[in-house]
Amino acid sequence: MSGWRRQYGDVVRARLVRGDLLGLASLAARWVGTALAPRLRRPLVGPALGTLLVTYRCNLRCRVCDLPARAVARRRAGDRELTTRELCRVLDDFRAIGTLGVGVTGGEPMLRDDLFDVLAHGARRGLHVHLNTDGFRMDDAAARETVAAGVRSVNVSLDGATAAEHDAARGRAGAFDDAVRALAALRRARGDRDGPRLTAVTVLTATNVDRVDDVARAALDAGADRVGVIPVHDFGQGEPAAAAERVRRGVETLRALHHRGVLDNSLAYLDLLPRALRGEASPLRCYAPYASVVVDCYGDVFPCFPLMERKQPSGRVPLARLWRSRAYQRERERLAACRACLWNCHTEMNLVLPQGGAVGGSA
């Protein structure tokens, strides 16, 4: 199916291989519950995707991200990051509301000394734990700890095929070397195990959109199992539009990578990339307020990742209480017509859910 990203297929196949009929039935029930929730105006199942930002701090200074500056501002304002115990309580709440998987991200998560304790706690609670990193500090020892913690998948950011390209995008010399070393270290630590699955993720911009083949080659050579892409979204940084011909070449290359079996994104998502890189609204009904939830390192809760980028929380922890509250349901209904982004995690989910009656507009 053109609307399925490959990682969704991984989840289904894993249950088929185990003969886990109850697990397959649970996935089907989750799909039905998410599809019906907007009509019934209440969550019927937990979110498929939880995101836990364990820190806004980062070793990089990417032009398209202001999280490191936010970390400084929050510290100056007297705010503190959640402790290890508090982060684990958030993971407990993810489990309590029926979350399927939690992506641990930042900032750069490896800047937290307690990261592996947090990852292991999520795995012990039965969550599909995913890690996003730029590769910082991911040496052989850290890679072994990542595998031992029970992490099921890891995304490593890679925006260029060479050190010059990637380091320029990420604002620090040595960032490319960190990324490729991390992929290699994780591959060695995994050995013959089934996981974690390793994906190199590229933020597509006007600069690299037609360089994706070279970026993919560098990622696969370093040890990635797959590559994935997300179009840059302009949250006030003045992102230039990509030239139409460069976008066309880039999408053609991505289609070829998909047919080779190494691209995570669905073909249906690739069809939307030109629209995204022109800064146009999504044509899809968005289920993110029912299918996802984001908690940051200060305890703020957001229905989706773009609202975190825009600094628009819908409440605070404890998550379990908020998720089922009337106030949070009012936020879901306020966002019902939002078509503001084509962020990959939310859009890929929207593509496998009913789209009858989708309209334009934005939040």
Side-chain angles (χ1 to χ4, degrees), residues 41-76:
R41 300 175 63 182
R42 61 187 178 91
L44 302 177
V45 294
L49 174 64
T51 300
L52 180 59
L53 286 98
V54 294
T55 185
Y56 283 175
R57 293 173 289 133
C58 191
N59 56 305
L60 303 182
R61 292 297 180 267
C62 306
R63 180 176 53 80
V64 298
C65 177
D66 73 342
L67 292 187
R70 282 197 224 178
V72 173
R74 296 292 293 259
R75 186 170 62 249
R76 288 175 176 169

PDB file of all heavy atoms in Angstrom, residues 41-76:
ATOM      1  N   ARG A  41     -15.821  12.516  19.481  1.00  0.00           N
ATOM      2  CA  ARG A  41     -15.323  13.633  20.284  1.00  0.00           C
ATOM      3  C   ARG A  41     -14.756  13.184  21.626  1.00  0.00           C
ATOM      4  O   ARG A  41     -14.944  13.835  22.644  1.00  0.00           O
ATOM      5  CB  ARG A  41     -16.424  14.685  20.474  1.00  0.00           C
ATOM      6  CG  ARG A  41     -16.930  15.256  19.162  1.00  0.00           C
ATOM      7  CD  ARG A  41     -18.090  16.203  19.341  1.00  0.00           C
ATOM      8  NE  ARG A  41     -17.709  17.384  20.133  1.00  0.00           N
ATOM      9  CZ  ARG A  41     -18.566  18.345  20.462  1.00  0.00           C
ATOM     10  NH1 ARG A  41     -19.836  18.261  20.097  1.00  0.00           N
ATOM     11  NH2 ARG A  41     -18.146  19.374  21.186  1.00  0.00           N
ATOM     12  N   ARG A  42     -14.024  12.090  21.584  1.00  0.00           N
ATOM     13  CA  ARG A  42     -13.304  11.634  22.774  1.00  0.00           C
ATOM     14  C   ARG A  42     -12.308  10.561  22.346  1.00  0.00           C
ATOM     15  O   ARG A  42     -12.527   9.854  21.350  1.00  0.00           O
ATOM     16  CB  ARG A  42     -14.256  11.069  23.820  1.00  0.00           C
ATOM     17  CG  ARG A  42     -15.052   9.865  23.389  1.00  0.00           C
ATOM     18  CD  ARG A  42     -16.088   9.497  24.444  1.00  0.00           C
ATOM     19  NE  ARG A  42     -16.910   8.363  24.050  1.00  0.00           N
ATOM     20  CZ  ARG A  42     -16.623   7.098  24.324  1.00  0.00           C
ATOM     21  NH1 ARG A  42     -15.513   6.801  24.993  1.00  0.00           N
ATOM     22  NH2 ARG A  42     -17.425   6.124  23.947  1.00  0.00           N
ATOM     23  N   PRO A  43     -11.191  10.427  23.055  1.00  0.00           N
ATOM     24  CA  PRO A  43     -10.223   9.389  22.705  1.00  0.00           C
ATOM     25  C   PRO A  43     -10.754   8.010  23.094  1.00  0.00           C
ATOM     26  O   PRO A  43     -11.204   7.802  24.219  1.00  0.00           O
ATOM     27  CB  PRO A  43      -8.988   9.761  23.531  1.00  0.00           C
ATOM     28  CG  PRO A  43      -9.540  10.514  24.701  1.00  0.00           C
ATOM     29  CD  PRO A  43     -10.752  11.235  24.201  1.00  0.00           C
ATOM     30  N   LEU A  44     -10.716   7.088  22.153  1.00  0.00           N
ATOM     31  CA  LEU A  44     -11.186   5.728  22.396  1.00  0.00           C
ATOM     32  C   LEU A  44     -10.028   4.782  22.682  1.00  0.00           C
ATOM     33  O   LEU A  44     -10.230   3.727  23.285  1.00  0.00           O
ATOM     34  CB  LEU A  44     -11.976   5.218  21.189  1.00  0.00           C
ATOM     35  CG  LEU A  44     -13.185   6.067  20.794  1.00  0.00           C
ATOM     36  CD1 LEU A  44     -13.831   5.491  19.536  1.00  0.00           C
ATOM     37  CD2 LEU A  44     -14.200   6.130  21.933  1.00  0.00           C
ATOM     38  N   VAL A  45      -8.849   5.144  22.233  1.00  0.00           N
ATOM     39  CA  VAL A  45      -7.638   4.356  22.453  1.00  0.00           C
ATOM     40  C   VAL A  45      -6.505   5.330  22.776  1.00  0.00           C
ATOM     41  O   VAL A  45      -6.631   6.536  22.588  1.00  0.00           O
ATOM     42  CB  VAL A  45      -7.264   3.503  21.215  1.00  0.00           C
ATOM     43  CG1 VAL A  45      -8.314   2.429  20.956  1.00  0.00           C
ATOM     44  CG2 VAL A  45      -7.077   4.386  19.985  1.00  0.00           C
ATOM     45  N   GLY A  46      -5.394   4.790  23.225  1.00  0.00           N
ATOM     46  CA  GLY A  46      -4.238   5.633  23.488  1.00  0.00           C
ATOM     47  C   GLY A  46      -3.562   6.065  22.191  1.00  0.00           C
ATOM     48  O   GLY A  46      -3.846   5.540  21.115  1.00  0.00           O
ATOM     49  N   PRO A  47      -2.661   7.011  22.276  1.00  0.00           N
ATOM     50  CA  PRO A  47      -1.956   7.472  21.079  1.00  0.00           C
ATOM     51  C   PRO A  47      -0.989   6.412  20.561  1.00  0.00           C
ATOM     52  O   PRO A  47      -0.363   5.693  21.341  1.00  0.00           O
ATOM     53  CB  PRO A  47      -1.198   8.705  21.567  1.00  0.00           C
ATOM     54  CG  PRO A  47      -1.004   8.473  23.033  1.00  0.00           C
ATOM     55  CD  PRO A  47      -2.220   7.715  23.491  1.00  0.00           C
ATOM     56  N   ALA A  48      -0.899   6.289  19.254  1.00  0.00           N
ATOM     57  CA  ALA A  48       0.086   5.380  18.676  1.00  0.00           C
ATOM     58  C   ALA A  48       1.503   5.873  18.955  1.00  0.00           C
ATOM     59  O   ALA A  48       2.419   5.079  19.177  1.00  0.00           O
ATOM     60  CB  ALA A  48      -0.128   5.242  17.170  1.00  0.00           C
ATOM     61  N   LEU A  49       1.672   7.193  18.960  1.00  0.00           N
ATOM     62  CA  LEU A  49       3.004   7.776  19.083  1.00  0.00           C
ATOM     63  C   LEU A  49       3.072   8.749  20.244  1.00  0.00           C
ATOM     64  O   LEU A  49       2.334   9.741  20.293  1.00  0.00           O
ATOM     65  CB  LEU A  49       3.373   8.519  17.782  1.00  0.00           C
ATOM     66  CG  LEU A  49       4.683   9.309  17.805  1.00  0.00           C
ATOM     67  CD1 LEU A  49       5.869   8.372  17.986  1.00  0.00           C
ATOM     68  CD2 LEU A  49       4.843  10.132  16.529  1.00  0.00           C
ATOM     69  N   GLY A  50       3.966   8.479  21.186  1.00  0.00           N
ATOM     70  CA  GLY A  50       4.313   9.431  22.223  1.00  0.00           C
ATOM     71  C   GLY A  50       5.714   9.963  21.962  1.00  0.00           C
ATOM     72  O   GLY A  50       6.560   9.246  21.420  1.00  0.00           O
ATOM     73  N   THR A  51       5.942  11.204  22.308  1.00  0.00           N
ATOM     74  CA  THR A  51       7.269  11.800  22.170  1.00  0.00           C
ATOM     75  C   THR A  51       7.669  12.401  23.509  1.00  0.00           C
ATOM     76  O   THR A  51       6.884  13.133  24.126  1.00  0.00           O
ATOM     77  CB  THR A  51       7.284  12.900  21.086  1.00  0.00           C
ATOM     78  OG1 THR A  51       6.900  12.331  19.830  1.00  0.00           O
ATOM     79  CG2 THR A  51       8.673  13.508  20.956  1.00  0.00           C
ATOM     80  N   LEU A  52       8.878  12.083  23.938  1.00  0.00           N
ATOM     81  CA  LEU A  52       9.413  12.617  25.191  1.00  0.00           C
ATOM     82  C   LEU A  52      10.699  13.366  24.883  1.00  0.00           C
ATOM     83  O   LEU A  52      11.712  12.766  24.521  1.00  0.00           O
ATOM     84  CB  LEU A  52       9.674  11.487  26.180  1.00  0.00           C
ATOM     85  CG  LEU A  52      10.247  11.898  27.547  1.00  0.00           C
ATOM     86  CD1 LEU A  52       9.306  12.859  28.261  1.00  0.00           C
ATOM     87  CD2 LEU A  52      10.511  10.667  28.412  1.00  0.00           C
ATOM     88  N   LEU A  53      10.647  14.691  24.991  1.00  0.00           N
ATOM     89  CA  LEU A  53      11.840  15.511  24.818  1.00  0.00           C
ATOM     90  C   LEU A  53      12.551  15.587  26.159  1.00  0.00           C
ATOM     91  O   LEU A  53      12.117  16.307  27.059  1.00  0.00           O
ATOM     92  CB  LEU A  53      11.481  16.920  24.350  1.00  0.00           C
ATOM     93  CG  LEU A  53      11.046  17.063  22.897  1.00  0.00           C
ATOM     94  CD1 LEU A  53       9.534  17.080  22.791  1.00  0.00           C
ATOM     95  CD2 LEU A  53      11.630  18.339  22.292  1.00  0.00           C
ATOM     96  N   VAL A  54      13.629  14.862  26.311  1.00  0.00           N
ATOM     97  CA  VAL A  54      14.283  14.787  27.618  1.00  0.00           C
ATOM     98  C   VAL A  54      15.156  16.003  27.902  1.00  0.00           C
ATOM     99  O   VAL A  54      15.555  16.227  29.048  1.00  0.00           O
ATOM    100  CB  VAL A  54      15.106  13.489  27.743  1.00  0.00           C
ATOM    101  CG1 VAL A  54      14.188  12.273  27.736  1.00  0.00           C
ATOM    102  CG2 VAL A  54      16.159  13.384  26.633  1.00  0.00           C
ATOM    103  N   THR A  55      15.464  16.797  26.884  1.00  0.00           N
ATOM    104  CA  THR A  55      16.207  18.041  27.071  1.00  0.00           C
ATOM    105  C   THR A  55      16.060  18.894  25.820  1.00  0.00           C
ATOM    106  O   THR A  55      15.869  18.371  24.713  1.00  0.00           O
ATOM    107  CB  THR A  55      17.703  17.796  27.353  1.00  0.00           C
ATOM    108  OG1 THR A  55      18.349  19.053  27.647  1.00  0.00           O
ATOM    109  CG2 THR A  55      18.403  17.150  26.175  1.00  0.00           C
ATOM    110  N   TYR A  56      16.127  20.226  26.000  1.00  0.00           N
ATOM    111  CA  TYR A  56      16.229  21.140  24.861  1.00  0.00           C
ATOM    112  C   TYR A  56      17.690  21.446  24.545  1.00  0.00           C
ATOM    113  O   TYR A  56      18.005  22.030  23.505  1.00  0.00           O
ATOM    114  CB  TYR A  56      15.516  22.459  25.166  1.00  0.00           C
ATOM    115  CG  TYR A  56      14.007  22.430  25.081  1.00  0.00           C
ATOM    116  CD1 TYR A  56      13.266  23.560  25.436  1.00  0.00           C
ATOM    117  CD2 TYR A  56      13.317  21.301  24.644  1.00  0.00           C
ATOM    118  CE1 TYR A  56      11.888  23.570  25.361  1.00  0.00           C
ATOM    119  CE2 TYR A  56      11.938  21.303  24.566  1.00  0.00           C
ATOM    120  CZ  TYR A  56      11.228  22.439  24.923  1.00  0.00           C
ATOM    121  OH  TYR A  56       9.855  22.449  24.852  1.00  0.00           O
ATOM    122  N   ARG A  57      18.575  21.078  25.460  1.00  0.00           N
ATOM    123  CA  ARG A  57      19.998  21.343  25.235  1.00  0.00           C
ATOM    124  C   ARG A  57      20.513  20.537  24.041  1.00  0.00           C
ATOM    125  O   ARG A  57      20.023  19.441  23.773  1.00  0.00           O
ATOM    126  CB  ARG A  57      20.803  20.991  26.483  1.00  0.00           C
ATOM    127  CG  ARG A  57      20.543  21.876  27.679  1.00  0.00           C
ATOM    128  CD  ARG A  57      21.243  21.362  28.918  1.00  0.00           C
ATOM    129  NE  ARG A  57      20.639  20.143  29.432  1.00  0.00           N
ATOM    130  CZ  ARG A  57      21.302  19.058  29.802  1.00  0.00           C
ATOM    131  NH1 ARG A  57      22.634  19.022  29.680  1.00  0.00           N
ATOM    132  NH2 ARG A  57      20.674  18.006  30.280  1.00  0.00           N
ATOM    133  N   CYS A  58      21.499  21.085  23.355  1.00  0.00           N
ATOM    134  CA  CYS A  58      22.034  20.388  22.188  1.00  0.00           C
ATOM    135  C   CYS A  58      23.479  20.809  21.958  1.00  0.00           C
ATOM    136  O   CYS A  58      23.875  21.943  22.259  1.00  0.00           O
ATOM    137  CB  CYS A  58      21.200  20.694  20.939  1.00  0.00           C
ATOM    138  SG  CYS A  58      21.599  19.626  19.525  1.00  0.00           S
ATOM    139  N   ASN A  59      24.248  19.880  21.411  1.00  0.00           N
ATOM    140  CA  ASN A  59      25.635  20.171  21.054  1.00  0.00           C
ATOM    141  C   ASN A  59      25.742  20.877  19.716  1.00  0.00           C
ATOM    142  O   ASN A  59      26.803  21.417  19.369  1.00  0.00           O
ATOM    143  CB  ASN A  59      26.453  18.868  20.990  1.00  0.00           C
ATOM    144  CG  ASN A  59      25.840  17.861  20.030  1.00  0.00           C
ATOM    145  OD1 ASN A  59      24.674  17.509  20.161  1.00  0.00           O
ATOM    146  ND2 ASN A  59      26.622  17.396  19.081  1.00  0.00           N
ATOM    147  N   LEU A  60      24.664  20.881  18.947  1.00  0.00           N
ATOM    148  CA  LEU A  60      24.665  21.500  17.621  1.00  0.00           C
ATOM    149  C   LEU A  60      23.935  22.838  17.648  1.00  0.00           C
ATOM    150  O   LEU A  60      23.232  23.163  18.602  1.00  0.00           O
ATOM    151  CB  LEU A  60      24.013  20.568  16.593  1.00  0.00           C
ATOM    152  CG  LEU A  60      24.633  19.182  16.453  1.00  0.00           C
ATOM    153  CD1 LEU A  60      23.910  18.387  15.365  1.00  0.00           C
ATOM    154  CD2 LEU A  60      26.123  19.275  16.147  1.00  0.00           C
ATOM    155  N   ARG A  61      24.090  23.578  16.566  1.00  0.00           N
ATOM    156  CA  ARG A  61      23.410  24.863  16.417  1.00  0.00           C
ATOM    157  C   ARG A  61      22.811  24.929  15.010  1.00  0.00           C
ATOM    158  O   ARG A  61      23.223  25.722  14.160  1.00  0.00           O
ATOM    159  CB  ARG A  61      24.375  26.033  16.673  1.00  0.00           C
ATOM    160  CG  ARG A  61      24.849  26.145  18.101  1.00  0.00           C
ATOM    161  CD  ARG A  61      23.712  26.409  19.066  1.00  0.00           C
ATOM    162  NE  ARG A  61      24.141  26.528  20.451  1.00  0.00           N
ATOM    163  CZ  ARG A  61      24.183  25.525  21.316  1.00  0.00           C
ATOM    164  NH1 ARG A  61      23.855  24.294  20.923  1.00  0.00           N
ATOM    165  NH2 ARG A  61      24.573  25.712  22.558  1.00  0.00           N
ATOM    166  N   CYS A  62      21.824  24.079  14.775  1.00  0.00           N
ATOM    167  CA  CYS A  62      21.193  24.002  13.459  1.00  0.00           C
ATOM    168  C   CYS A  62      20.410  25.280  13.177  1.00  0.00           C
ATOM    169  O   CYS A  62      19.699  25.792  14.053  1.00  0.00           O
ATOM    170  CB  CYS A  62      20.265  22.802  13.393  1.00  0.00           C
ATOM    171  SG  CYS A  62      21.049  21.238  13.832  1.00  0.00           S
ATOM    172  N   ARG A  63      20.491  25.739  11.947  1.00  0.00           N
ATOM    173  CA  ARG A  63      19.815  26.984  11.584  1.00  0.00           C
ATOM    174  C   ARG A  63      18.299  26.872  11.724  1.00  0.00           C
ATOM    175  O   ARG A  63      17.618  27.869  12.015  1.00  0.00           O
ATOM    176  CB  ARG A  63      20.176  27.338  10.133  1.00  0.00           C
ATOM    177  CG  ARG A  63      19.538  28.609   9.611  1.00  0.00           C
ATOM    178  CD  ARG A  63      20.039  28.913   8.207  1.00  0.00           C
ATOM    179  NE  ARG A  63      19.871  27.763   7.337  1.00  0.00           N
ATOM    180  CZ  ARG A  63      18.723  27.432   6.755  1.00  0.00           C
ATOM    181  NH1 ARG A  63      17.648  28.161   6.974  1.00  0.00           N
ATOM    182  NH2 ARG A  63      18.639  26.383   5.963  1.00  0.00           N
ATOM    183  N   VAL A  64      17.744  25.682  11.552  1.00  0.00           N
ATOM    184  CA  VAL A  64      16.290  25.524  11.539  1.00  0.00           C
ATOM    185  C   VAL A  64      15.715  25.208  12.922  1.00  0.00           C
ATOM    186  O   VAL A  64      14.530  24.913  13.049  1.00  0.00           O
ATOM    187  CB  VAL A  64      15.874  24.415  10.539  1.00  0.00           C
ATOM    188  CG1 VAL A  64      16.285  24.799   9.129  1.00  0.00           C
ATOM    189  CG2 VAL A  64      16.468  23.068  10.942  1.00  0.00           C
ATOM    190  N   CYS A  65      16.525  25.266  13.975  1.00  0.00           N
ATOM    191  CA  CYS A  65      16.070  24.846  15.309  1.00  0.00           C
ATOM    192  C   CYS A  65      16.486  25.867  16.357  1.00  0.00           C
ATOM    193  O   CYS A  65      17.632  26.323  16.390  1.00  0.00           O
ATOM    194  CB  CYS A  65      16.667  23.472  15.640  1.00  0.00           C
ATOM    195  SG  CYS A  65      16.268  22.875  17.295  1.00  0.00           S
ATOM    196  N   ASP A  66      15.545  26.207  17.259  1.00  0.00           N
ATOM    197  CA  ASP A  66      15.854  27.164  18.326  1.00  0.00           C
ATOM    198  C   ASP A  66      15.861  26.517  19.707  1.00  0.00           C
ATOM    199  O   ASP A  66      15.867  27.216  20.722  1.00  0.00           O
ATOM    200  CB  ASP A  66      14.868  28.324  18.296  1.00  0.00           C
ATOM    201  CG  ASP A  66      13.469  27.942  18.800  1.00  0.00           C
ATOM    202  OD1 ASP A  66      13.163  26.729  18.841  1.00  0.00           O
ATOM    203  OD2 ASP A  66      12.697  28.851  19.151  1.00  0.00           O
ATOM    204  N   LEU A  67      15.859  25.183  19.774  1.00  0.00           N
ATOM    205  CA  LEU A  67      15.768  24.534  21.084  1.00  0.00           C
ATOM    206  C   LEU A  67      16.941  24.869  22.013  1.00  0.00           C
ATOM    207  O   LEU A  67      16.721  25.079  23.208  1.00  0.00           O
ATOM    208  CB  LEU A  67      15.635  23.026  20.911  1.00  0.00           C
ATOM    209  CG  LEU A  67      14.322  22.539  20.288  1.00  0.00           C
ATOM    210  CD1 LEU A  67      14.247  21.014  20.324  1.00  0.00           C
ATOM    211  CD2 LEU A  67      13.109  23.136  20.982  1.00  0.00           C
ATOM    212  N   PRO A  68      18.191  24.926  21.538  1.00  0.00           N
ATOM    213  CA  PRO A  68      19.268  25.300  22.468  1.00  0.00           C
ATOM    214  C   PRO A  68      19.062  26.688  23.080  1.00  0.00           C
ATOM    215  O   PRO A  68      19.331  26.887  24.273  1.00  0.00           O
ATOM    216  CB  PRO A  68      20.523  25.255  21.582  1.00  0.00           C
ATOM    217  CG  PRO A  68      20.183  24.290  20.491  1.00  0.00           C
ATOM    218  CD  PRO A  68      18.733  24.537  20.209  1.00  0.00           C
ATOM    219  N   ALA A  69      18.578  27.622  22.278  1.00  0.00           N
ATOM    220  CA  ALA A  69      18.309  28.963  22.811  1.00  0.00           C
ATOM    221  C   ALA A  69      17.182  28.917  23.830  1.00  0.00           C
ATOM    222  O   ALA A  69      17.204  29.629  24.845  1.00  0.00           O
ATOM    223  CB  ALA A  69      17.955  29.917  21.671  1.00  0.00           C
ATOM    224  N   ARG A  70      16.193  28.073  23.594  1.00  0.00           N
ATOM    225  CA  ARG A  70      15.102  27.927  24.557  1.00  0.00           C
ATOM    226  C   ARG A  70      15.616  27.364  25.880  1.00  0.00           C
ATOM    227  O   ARG A  70      15.156  27.751  26.955  1.00  0.00           O
ATOM    228  CB  ARG A  70      14.027  26.984  24.011  1.00  0.00           C
ATOM    229  CG  ARG A  70      13.117  27.614  23.004  1.00  0.00           C
ATOM    230  CD  ARG A  70      11.874  26.747  22.871  1.00  0.00           C
ATOM    231  NE  ARG A  70      11.500  26.578  21.485  1.00  0.00           N
ATOM    232  CZ  ARG A  70      10.490  25.845  21.075  1.00  0.00           C
ATOM    233  NH1 ARG A  70       9.752  25.193  21.950  1.00  0.00           N
ATOM    234  NH2 ARG A  70      10.200  25.745  19.792  1.00  0.00           N
ATOM    235  N   ALA A  71      16.545  26.405  25.787  1.00  0.00           N
ATOM    236  CA  ALA A  71      17.109  25.822  27.002  1.00  0.00           C
ATOM    237  C   ALA A  71      17.764  26.894  27.856  1.00  0.00           C
ATOM    238  O   ALA A  71      17.596  26.920  29.084  1.00  0.00           O
ATOM    239  CB  ALA A  71      18.114  24.728  26.646  1.00  0.00           C
ATOM    240  N   VAL A  72      18.513  27.783  27.215  1.00  0.00           N
ATOM    241  CA  VAL A  72      19.163  28.875  27.944  1.00  0.00           C
ATOM    242  C   VAL A  72      18.121  29.799  28.565  1.00  0.00           C
ATOM    243  O   VAL A  72      18.217  30.183  29.742  1.00  0.00           O
ATOM    244  CB  VAL A  72      20.094  29.655  26.999  1.00  0.00           C
ATOM    245  CG1 VAL A  72      20.642  30.903  27.699  1.00  0.00           C
ATOM    246  CG2 VAL A  72      21.237  28.774  26.516  1.00  0.00           C
ATOM    247  N   ALA A  73      17.088  30.144  27.784  1.00  0.00           N
ATOM    248  CA  ALA A  73      16.055  31.052  28.285  1.00  0.00           C
ATOM    249  C   ALA A  73      15.299  30.440  29.461  1.00  0.00           C
ATOM    250  O   ALA A  73      15.001  31.129  30.451  1.00  0.00           O
ATOM    251  CB  ALA A  73      15.090  31.402  27.157  1.00  0.00           C
ATOM    252  N   ARG A  74      14.995  29.146  29.375  1.00  0.00           N
ATOM    253  CA  ARG A  74      14.260  28.498  30.465  1.00  0.00           C
ATOM    254  C   ARG A  74      15.117  28.428  31.728  1.00  0.00           C
ATOM    255  O   ARG A  74      14.612  28.602  32.836  1.00  0.00           O
ATOM    256  CB  ARG A  74      13.812  27.089  30.046  1.00  0.00           C
ATOM    257  CG  ARG A  74      12.810  27.040  28.886  1.00  0.00           C
ATOM    258  CD  ARG A  74      11.450  27.604  29.243  1.00  0.00           C
ATOM    259  NE  ARG A  74      10.704  26.837  30.208  1.00  0.00           N
ATOM    260  CZ  ARG A  74       9.702  25.985  29.905  1.00  0.00           C
ATOM    261  NH1 ARG A  74       9.359  25.783  28.641  1.00  0.00           N
ATOM    262  NH2 ARG A  74       9.032  25.363  30.865  1.00  0.00           N
ATOM    263  N   ARG A  75      16.403  28.146  31.553  1.00  0.00           N
ATOM    264  CA  ARG A  75      17.291  28.092  32.714  1.00  0.00           C
ATOM    265  C   ARG A  75      17.372  29.464  33.372  1.00  0.00           C
ATOM    266  O   ARG A  75      17.325  29.582  34.607  1.00  0.00           O
ATOM    267  CB  ARG A  75      18.674  27.601  32.294  1.00  0.00           C
ATOM    268  CG  ARG A  75      19.618  27.385  33.472  1.00  0.00           C
ATOM    269  CD  ARG A  75      20.875  26.667  33.047  1.00  0.00           C
ATOM    270  NE  ARG A  75      21.658  27.415  32.082  1.00  0.00           N
ATOM    271  CZ  ARG A  75      21.810  27.053  30.805  1.00  0.00           C
ATOM    272  NH1 ARG A  75      21.224  25.969  30.330  1.00  0.00           N
ATOM    273  NH2 ARG A  75      22.542  27.785  29.993  1.00  0.00           N
ATOM    274  N   ARG A  76      17.498  30.521  32.580  1.00  0.00           N
ATOM    275  CA  ARG A  76      17.566  31.866  33.125  1.00  0.00           C
ATOM    276  C   ARG A  76      16.271  32.259  33.823  1.00  0.00           C
ATOM    277  O   ARG A  76      16.277  33.068  34.766  1.00  0.00           O
ATOM    278  CB  ARG A  76      17.895  32.865  32.012  1.00  0.00           C
ATOM    279  CG  ARG A  76      19.336  32.767  31.526  1.00  0.00           C
ATOM    280  CD  ARG A  76      19.587  33.682  30.341  1.00  0.00           C
ATOM    281  NE  ARG A  76      20.991  33.658  29.938  1.00  0.00           N
ATOM    282  CZ  ARG A  76      21.462  34.198  28.815  1.00  0.00           C
ATOM    283  NH1 ARG A  76      20.618  34.831  27.978  1.00  0.00           N
ATOM    284  NH2 ARG A  76      22.747  34.130  28.524  1.00  0.00           N
TER     285      ARG A  76
END
